Amino acid sequence: MLETERLTIRRIGLEDAPFMLAILNDPGFLANIGDRGVRTVAEAEEYIRVRVLASYETHGFGMFRVALKEGDEPVGTVGFVRREGLDGPDLGFAFLADHTGKGYGREASKALIAWARRELHIGPLLAITAPHNAASAALLLRLGFREEGRVTLPQHGGESRLFVEG
């Protein structure tokens, strides 16, 4: 779907279940985003059906697979989520521990935001992070978001830092 200098970005499919199992159980995901209770490839397939594919169908967007151009190794996810309690799409990203700190989040997020403007005509984006997630907050600031305060969303579990683009 999209290519950057080092990455490819595409929709997630059922064939990505092993990768999704890995990312959903990555220590950083569990600590900063939460435990989705996905412990098997079959549960990852169901998660993709119910959460990812349904979002593409309903909203025209969702989370996307990010892989290294060279070798097509999946390294993370980036995308947009519609959350109850937020007025617009929420930019989200998660990368496997071995692939953090290399600029992939910024590179993938910038490409996806540009695509969303061009193809989906999405206006200003929102983003949330766990209160203690300094790395994601720093990335959002580098992407041009500003922190607006705190928010407690239904079905999200606890308080989050709220960021607004622009």
Side-chain angles (χ1 to χ4, degrees):
M1 183 178 96
L2 294 174
E3 285 191 7
T4 67
E5 181 182 335
R6 302 178 294 166
L7 306 170
T8 61
I9 303 164
R10 68 158 170 79
R11 285 184 170 207
I12 294 168
L14 293 177
E15 70 278 7
D16 296 309
F19 162 66
M20 289 302 292
L21 177 63
I23 197 120
L24 293 171
N25 288 285
D26 184 84
F29 190 100
L30 294 169
N32 295 306
I33 299 171
D35 188 348
R36 301 295 187 250
V38 174
R39 302 290 182 264
T40 67
V41 171
E43 290 172 344
E45 287 175 354
E46 185 63 13
Y47 179 90
I48 291 168
R49 271 189 211 89
V50 171
R51 301 282 295 266
V52 181
L53 300 179
S55 181
Y56 298 153
E57 183 68 29
T58 303
H59 305 295
F61 56 76
M63 296 305 291
F64 296 87
R65 174 187 180 266
V66 179
L68 299 178
K69 237 186 203 179
E70 188 175 317
D72 197 39
E73 177 188 356
V75 297
T77 60
V78 64
F80 310 112
V81 179
R82 285 295 299 172
R83 295 186 198 277
E84 184 180 348
L86 291 180
D87 294 333
D90 166 27
L91 173 67
F93 40 79
F95 287 82
L96 294 169
D98 289 346
H99 299 286
T100 60
K102 298 178 181 179
Y104 298 149
R106 185 169 191 265
E107 188 174 327
S109 294
K110 284 179 70 173
L112 200 65
I113 290 168
W115 170 81
R117 296 275 188 274
R118 238 182 7 259
E119 302 297 324
L120 303 177
H121 310 290
I122 289 178
L125 294 164
L126 304 171
I128 59 170
T129 68
H132 61 272
N133 190 344
S136 289
L139 173 54
L140 289 167
L141 294 173
R142 283 193 304 277
L143 289 169
F145 285 72
R146 68 180 183 284
E147 189 165 359
E148 286 288 308
R150 304 284 174 121
V151 63
T152 301
L153 300 175
Q155 303 174 5
H156 192 51
E159 186 178 69
S160 298
R161 294 167 71 178
L162 175 65
F163 294 81
V164 177
E165 189 181 26

